[in-house]
Amino acid sequence: MNYRHAFHAGNFADVVKHVVLARILAYLGHKDAAYRVIDTHAGAGLYDLTGDEARRTGEWEGGIGAVLRARFTPAVTELLAPWLDAVRAVNPPAADDAALADALSRYPGSPLIAQALTRPQDRLLLCETQPGVRAALEESVGRDARAKVLATDGWQALSAYVPPKERRGVVLVDPPFEEPGEFHRLAHGLAEAHRRWAGGIYLLWYPIKDVRAVDAFRREIERAGIPKTLNIQFDLRAVRQADTMTGCGLIVVNPPFTLAEELRSVLGALAPVLATDGAGRVRVGWLTPERGSGAL
């Protein structure tokens, strides 16, 4: 699977991933103590929705565009606010979100969403190996003393930079899935990092395309026996289509105690908005619960 992000920025997968990331960061911000965000495959940071790549696919229209045009309950609107505020911040002011959808020109990647939600005492470590993409990332984050951009391989970062000195934080692992065996590398990298920093929050994104590969990946995560591992699955349609990404998932280790119920609410509201056949589906459940605890 080739997942050059400029073609897909702001699509349904970004919506799901960034809503979850924003909810985690909002939770971490409730305590005064500093935390760190480690983004192992950071990307360019900011994406031009008027550029050739985004216009060629138009995927953002069915993602962030559809969300901005939709109406939600006050409770869901509140849950979406941290992420949507980051989107609004990188675009010109608009009268309302529907007007913003018509004029939307840029979409923030995970580094800029984290940058928008972190506080003066927090720190960001952003890893990107491709020189051109890294230069774009450096320009996107600007001269922010909290953010450090490194030319470090994301998989190496999982062992090199955990635990952080803050002892609180989240590690986002969002590989491009361009190489064979990345599901195994994802599971293995998580297990190795967790041995070094068992108290960290880990957020792993994965595409749903090859169902057998996804099932094998989840089994490998289960066999690792890491407590408090939550799986989130978002399907765009009821029937999967071969050779097409019809959904995505997230593994969250040590999720905030509020996260599962928040996601059942907010992703459940997003499912009919993002679905391509009106039958979008969300599943949120434990792969491995906390030792000695019951189900959520």
Side-chain angles (χ1 to χ4, degrees), residues 57-288:
T57 64
E59 289 185 14
W60 70 270
E61 288 278 7
I64 178 60
V67 174
L68 289 172
R69 292 185 175 95
R71 292 188 177 184
F72 302 101
T73 66
V76 170
T77 298
E78 184 177 355
L79 292 173
L80 289 171
W83 162 62
L84 284 179
D85 284 346
V87 175
R88 296 179 186 115
V90 298
N91 285 281
D96 54 31
D97 282 349
L100 177 58
D102 292 334
L104 201 68
S105 60
R106 300 195 293 181
Y107 185 81
S110 51
L112 264 65
I113 290 171
Q115 187 180 34
L117 295 177
T118 46
R119 306 157 303 171
Q121 66 267 41
D122 304 321
R123 295 294 180 267
L124 296 90
L125 193 64
L126 311 172
C127 302
E128 180 53 55
T129 56
Q130 297 184 36
V133 177
R134 187 170 63 254
L137 175 61
E138 290 171 343
E139 182 178 354
S140 296
V141 299
R143 296 186 177 184
D144 187 341
R146 303 171 305 157
K148 192 171 186 178
V149 177
L150 298 177
T152 302
D153 177 79
W155 301 113
Q156 293 178 357
L158 275 173
S159 59
Y161 298 111
V162 297
K165 65 179 182 180
E166 292 85 0
R167 312 299 293 189
R168 300 179 68 228
V170 56
V171 180
L172 171 62
V173 190
D174 177 22
F177 286 88
E178 294 177 336
E179 302 292 336
E182 285 201 318
F183 275 115
H184 171 69
R185 294 182 78 180
L186 196 55
H188 178 74
L190 170 63
E192 290 298 310
H194 188 265
R195 289 190 191 99
R196 297 171 61 87
W197 187 30
I201 299 173
Y202 296 88
L203 178 60
L204 282 60
W205 180 88
Y206 62 90
I208 297 176
K209 181 179 177 183
D210 181 338
V211 178
R212 287 178 295 182
V214 170
D215 287 344
F217 166 65
R218 290 176 182 153
R219 288 195 297 271
E220 190 170 0
I221 295 286
E222 288 183 85
R223 286 195 298 270
I226 298 171
K228 294 188 288 186
T229 300
L230 191 69
N231 181 62
I232 300 144
Q233 178 177 323
F234 189 96
D235 292 308
L236 274 180
R237 57 181 70 101
V239 178
R240 293 195 174 94
Q241 182 178 340
D243 300 323
T244 300
M245 190 175 81
T246 57
C248 66
L250 291 154
I251 299 292
V252 189
V253 174
N254 296 321
F257 76 96
T258 57
L259 187 68
E261 287 307 316
E262 286 182 351
L263 295 183
R264 290 188 180 107
S265 173
V266 70
L267 295 182
L270 287 172
V273 173
L274 300 175
T276 56
D277 65 353
R281 182 176 59 180
V282 176
R283 297 179 182 178
V284 179
W286 291 115
L287 282 183
T288 52

